[in-house]
Amino acid sequence: MTAAEDSFRQARIHAARHMAACESADLRWSETTITEIVTAQAARAVTVVPFTQRAEALSGADWIWWWVDGASAYGMLVQAKRVKVRDGKWSFDFGYEIGGTGRLQREVLRSTAQTLDLLPVYALYLGTADYRRWERCSETHRSGRCLACVKRTISLMPELVASQLIMNDAASTYESSVALEELWTPPTEAALLSPLLESQLAPELAEFLQTPQSGTRAITRSMIDRVLRARMGAFSAPSPIATSMSLGEHDQLGPVFKNVPDDTGHFGLPYFEQTLRPLRHAPPAYVVGIMTNDFDEERLQSNLPENIAGVVVARPPQHGG
């Protein structure tokens, strides 16, 4: 187990302990507290730059996460959402409105992520496995103390697939998300694509979606695979006309994939662009500055939107892909 893997494991363990203590005392644990626990434990092996004053002033502020390895970098804008389980029904407050603004928190997450070329992501805080009643997590679910269920305490999900109508139980939530500790696990199967959509892929993108990946590319697959799975569950078919959109001219710093299908499906926006544009050949300058400890925190903070609580830069574990 690498240092990064152990730090995220410890993050989940400490978060679950706090959740369990609150649950046993009939107290409500908060998203902000769990985020603090996760980032504090992860900081043992990743770089964390908190904007302290902002984090204190903005309850539920979003965090920028960059995953960087020797081949590429993948950026996310992460917002926490806790589950509420009542009478076997699961719910998340995806429709939360920011007080006094008339705007949905979700809209701000998506627009800020678009401005920063990041993928909007929800960190799902699912409580302890006891709170979830050890509901079946996967085909490999084990009776008793299932490790896969335990790992699900902290899970990640593309904002694009979040739906309160659909995500109302364990099965639908697990289907739409991935445990934080499994985020970089190489996919064992090709991404789910319709034949028509598959025919519209550029060769390098087709190879990426059909073969195992590692590092930042495995993380990207964790996200796009769940978006494509949701896309296949929708009713609208891709356009029979093979159209694509350019994500920029070829260079050594910009997006890895230059041409992607412009299919919008039931999402109402080009989901390939949203999910794959944050995969870059190299991280942006401010991330390089953080990695080399050559940055001014006040300047960095002033250059980012006000709803950003801080930046995390992590090197994902490398597994055979």
Side-chain angles (χ1 to χ4, degrees):
M1 181 179 292
T2 67
E5 287 174 303
D6 184 60
S7 70
F8 286 114
R9 174 176 171 271
Q10 290 299 321
R12 182 257 303 165
I13 289 173
H14 283 75
R17 286 175 180 168
H18 178 76
M19 293 171 177
C22 290
E23 290 165 10
S24 64
D26 290 328
L27 296 173
R28 185 183 187 278
W29 48 264
S30 72
E31 295 163 348
T32 301
T33 300
I34 300 303
T35 298
E36 290 173 345
I37 292 172
V38 170
T39 51
Q41 291 298 318
R44 298 185 305 118
V46 307
T47 303
V48 178
V49 181
F51 301 151
T52 306
Q53 292 181 342
R54 280 190 184 178
E56 292 175 350
L58 296 172
S59 176
D62 307 327
W63 282 79
I64 294 174
W65 280 72
W66 275 97
W67 305 90
V68 183
D69 61 22
S72 52
Y74 192 58
M76 300 174 172
L77 184 60
V78 182
Q79 184 177 103
K81 285 292 176 185
R82 64 161 291 159
V83 68
K84 296 177 183 176
V85 181
R86 293 174 182 167
D87 300 324
K89 294 293 184 180
W90 292 32
S91 64
F92 301 87
D93 194 3
F94 295 131
Y96 177 80
E97 185 175 306
I98 301 174
T101 67
R103 297 191 67 187
L104 296 180
Q105 191 180 47
R106 182 174 190 173
E107 293 175 351
V108 176
L109 172 68
R110 184 178 289 186
S111 63
T112 304
Q114 182 177 11
T115 299
L116 299 175
D117 282 339
L118 301 169
L119 176 69
V121 170
Y122 283 128
L124 302 181
Y125 297 160
L126 301 182
T128 64
D130 286 328
Y131 178 69
R132 289 173 269 132
R133 299 184 181 277
W134 296 92
E135 293 199 47
R136 185 178 180 85
C137 62
S138 65
E139 294 180 356
T140 60
H141 179 77
R142 300 179 61 180
S143 59
R145 188 172 176 80
C146 174
L147 180 58
C149 285
V150 172
K151 288 182 177 181
R152 278 296 193 160
T153 296
I154 309 293
S155 298
L156 296 183
M157 176 187 71
E159 175 273 334
L160 195 60
V161 305
S163 169
Q164 192 57 66
L165 293 176
I166 296 175
M167 291 177 56
N168 56 13
D169 58 15
S172 56
T173 301
Y174 293 156
E175 178 79 6
S176 303
S177 61
V178 57
L180 174 61
E181 294 168 78
E182 303 291 342
L183 184 63
W184 44 79
T185 301
T188 57
E189 299 178 350
L192 195 59
L193 293 161
S194 69
L196 182 57
L197 193 56
E198 186 174 349
S199 69
Q200 298 179 12
L201 301 177
E204 63 274 14
L205 180 54
E207 180 181 6
F208 169 76
L209 293 173
Q210 295 169 355
T211 59
Q213 305 294 325
S214 64
T216 58
R217 296 187 180 220
I219 292 172
T220 309
R221 276 290 305 272
S222 289
M223 296 292 101
I224 189 66
D225 282 7
R226 279 149 185 84
V227 171
L228 289 170
R229 193 177 299 161
R231 174 67 181 94
M232 284 293 288
F235 296 105
S236 58
S239 169
I241 303 175
T243 57
S244 64
M245 59 194 307
S246 173
L247 300 188
E249 298 298 325
H250 178 75
D251 60 61
Q252 297 303 311
L253 300 176
V256 168
F257 300 109
K258 303 302 176 184
N259 294 286
V260 299
D262 64 359
D263 181 46
T264 60
H266 64 296
F267 302 118
L269 57 82
Y271 56 89
F272 273 103
E273 177 193 20
Q274 186 193 67
T275 312
L276 296 180
R277 188 179 184 87
L279 179 64
R280 304 164 55 97
H281 289 290
Y286 73 91
V287 176
V288 175
I290 292 173
M291 295 172 64
T292 58
N293 198 29
D294 182 20
F295 71 100
D296 181 275
E297 183 175 328
E298 291 186 2
R299 179 177 298 177
L300 174 61
Q301 179 173 328
S302 66
N303 287 335
L304 292 172
E306 292 184 355
N307 61 308
I308 304 300
V311 182
V312 176
V313 181
R315 182 173 292 275
Q318 295 286 331
H319 298 288

